[in-house]
Amino acid sequence: MTVKVGIPRALLYYYFYPQWLSFFQHLDVEPVVSHRTTRGLLEKGLRSTVDEACLPVKLAVGHVLDLKDRVDYLFLPRLVSMARREYICPKFLGFPDMVRNTIDHLPPVIDINLDLYHKRSNAYNFFQTLGKMFTKNPARIYLAYRASCQAHGNYCKELESGALPGELKTLANSNGKNGGMADITIAVIGHPYNIYDRFISMDMIKRLFESGVNVVTADHLADSVIRQEAGKLPKQLFWTLNQRMIGAAYHYFNDPEIHGLIHVASFGCGPDSMTGELIERFARSRSTKPLLVLTLDEHTGEAGIVTRLEAFLDMVRWRRNLADVAATL
Amino acid sequence: MYGYLGIDVGSVSTNLVMMGEDGAVKHSIYLRTRGKPIEAVQAGLKMMKSALPSKIQVAGVGTTGSGRHLAGVITGADIIKNEITTHAIAASNVVPGVQTILEIGGQDSKIIILRNGVVADFAMNTVCAAGTGSFLDQQAFRLNIGIEEFGPLALQARVPVRIAGRCAVFAESDMIHKQQMGYNVEDILAGLCEALVRNYLNNVGKGKEILGPVVFQGGVAANAGMKRAFEKALETEVIIPPYFNVMGALGAALLAREATSRKKTDFYGFEVAEKDFKAGGFACDGCPNICEVVEITESDRVIARWGDRCGRWSDVLEQKEKIS
């Protein structure tokens, strides 16, 4: 019987899943992903999380609850740092402990550290420790690691060429088939686990597609572009994800193909409140592009987001038409 | 003679405007929604019909406000538009060159920044309803003052009392405290207006560049005390347009005129007021999302459904319509 490892469809799932999938498959371990977010799943998470946690963490707890009774292990790696001299939000760091202390009857939790902060640290240590739990053969682990890196590289390339993660990919393709109805391009800037989760984002990306909008995100840019843009800040941001958001926002503000930006923050997220402010300041002082700031919380009423999106798109189109007229004069 | 009908179904009030071809308001109606948007729209239509000369013909209908989809479905609107766009369009038609719109309604407040006649930025209040019409209504009631007297009384104030405006609940307790200390009602009311303006400018208007001409509209603009408090805080003149409380509906009518420039209207006629509409709802049990589906029926025939995330209920209806 193959061992089942549960992966919550939350947090950095949207970033690392292809890599983890490939690694586990090469070791004949069966990865099990939690179901898509639903209201029931979110409510379970809200009930079992401490009040101070942010919405994405509460949601991730919901996904853990969804998985815990049907897997042999829970894969909740302790993500400390994804790049040198950068950190992941402390709530990610404490996530495995938060889960262990609030949920009873858990399967064994795999909470190996992924810490690339220091010069000599590398991701192989992480995968080596992980692999040893399932096989004694170091060569197999090494090969699985190589394959997983390749999978991650392919995934990044796919995103850079304009694809969206997971189920959103098919959405984008079907939109393209309808004869390129999109007449404006909007950059959606936000944490991957907010903007790609169709429930939490209230299906924002699909709504945009349906309103004739092309959507681009930070993941469509090469890492080097993002780092270069984020480097324009007087002091480097040490949160990897927020650095990606800032870098992408700066890039898109200067990209003539982009008609407007939407910054998506989640309620209770400390880093978001700061990057939001940085992006807003840039928008006001050094750009003429429209910016919409949306804050997501556990509200299920869609009227608020629909009204703001509609008004924003009206504004973007109105301004673009005016610019078109001006260009012909 | 042609006319364009604009309907704004808000949380507190339902407003209707009949606009002539030239953009002038022929008749406007301001009603309380009282939690029953369908009935309010029907009552408004009845009043509108009896107030208009019989030769006027409706050439287009636009709906807006938080109940815009509902109103659009029952009247057969030519355009259904969000309230930010309609307010901006109405204000820039009434006050050409307007650069800032302050809009305070029953449950929400917004700021719209226009530059060169185009919306450049906007913001709406988030979860906090402090500083909206409902709060003023409630406080006027508590002081046993009609909401109509609120403004004139506030203008009589000599030394406005400082009241904490960060939160409606705290503002209320602060107000009671000041009242028990013996400050007179006029000064408290003026202080309340100033507190709400501070709260509005800090929350909704945060970081926005407010340039004149400034237009103040929405139901709260009826309160002269609020106008003066805004003028004091912004140190500029604040214009209140003649139809300040129905600007959303006027914007919807203007958009309806544009939408019907090349087509005939879909308006079902004033008979809509006599029809039997019901809004029902049920919780779909298809998946753990448990969507609350809203169903609008007209004499037992389902005419619209929404609220389901997956389209299980709303799509079925659309298909049926296509077949028939």
Side-chain angles (χ1 to χ4, degrees), chain A residues 37-40 198-199 202 284 291-292 297 299-300 302 306-308 310-312 314-315 318-319 322, chain B residues 68-69 81-85 88-89 116-122 124-127 207 288-290 292 309:
Chain A
T37 308
T38 59
R39 192 162 102 184
R198 295 180 62 181
F199 182 88
M202 302 214 179
R284 272 201 299 274
L291 168 75
L292 174 70
D297 59 10
H299 254 85
T300 50
E302 295 178 351
V306 170
T307 301
R308 286 169 176 82
E310 279 181 13
F312 180 70
D314 279 346
M315 172 168 95
W318 200 358
R319 284 172 67 168
L322 212 74
Chain B
R68 60 186 179 278
H69 294 288
K81 211 39 146 187
N82 62 79
E83 52 270 34
I84 294 166
T85 307
I89 284 178
N116 306 320
V118 173
V119 178
D121 200 2
F122 65 84
M124 282 172 91
N125 61 331
T126 48
V127 279
N289 273 338
I290 324 171
E292 291 139 14
R309 278 166 183 265

Side-chain angles (χ1 to χ4, degrees), chain A residues 236-293:
Chain A
Q236 197 204 355
L237 268 185
F238 45 79
W239 299 298
T240 308
L241 295 176
N242 292 84
Q243 200 181 14
R244 286 181 67 81
M245 281 157 67
I246 291 270
Y250 285 4
H251 176 84
Y252 287 131
F253 271 124
N254 291 323
D255 184 343
E257 304 267 296
I258 304 295
H259 298 95
L261 285 89
I262 301 179
H263 176 247
V264 182
S266 52
F267 187 71
C269 177
D272 266 2
S273 62
M274 192 173 140
T275 32
E277 183 67 30
L278 283 170
I279 292 172
E280 260 184 273
R281 281 187 191 183
F282 188 92
R284 272 201 299 274
S285 63
R286 280 191 275 168
S287 167
T288 53
K289 271 185 195 157
L291 168 75
L292 174 70
V293 179

Side-chain angles (χ1 to χ4, degrees), chain B residues 2 152 188 200 204 219 294:
Chain B
Y2 292 107
I188 293 176
Y200 173 91
V204 184
V294 179

Side-chain angles (χ1 to χ4, degrees), chain B residues 41 66 123 153 234 252 281:
Chain B
V41 171
S66 44
L153 274 175
L234 296 173

Side-chain angles (χ1 to χ4, degrees), chain A residues 27-42:
Chain A
L27 296 179
D28 292 326
V29 173
E30 187 189 336
V32 180
V33 180
S34 55
H35 292 112
R36 278 191 227 157
T37 308
T38 59
R39 192 162 102 184
L41 197 148
L42 173 63

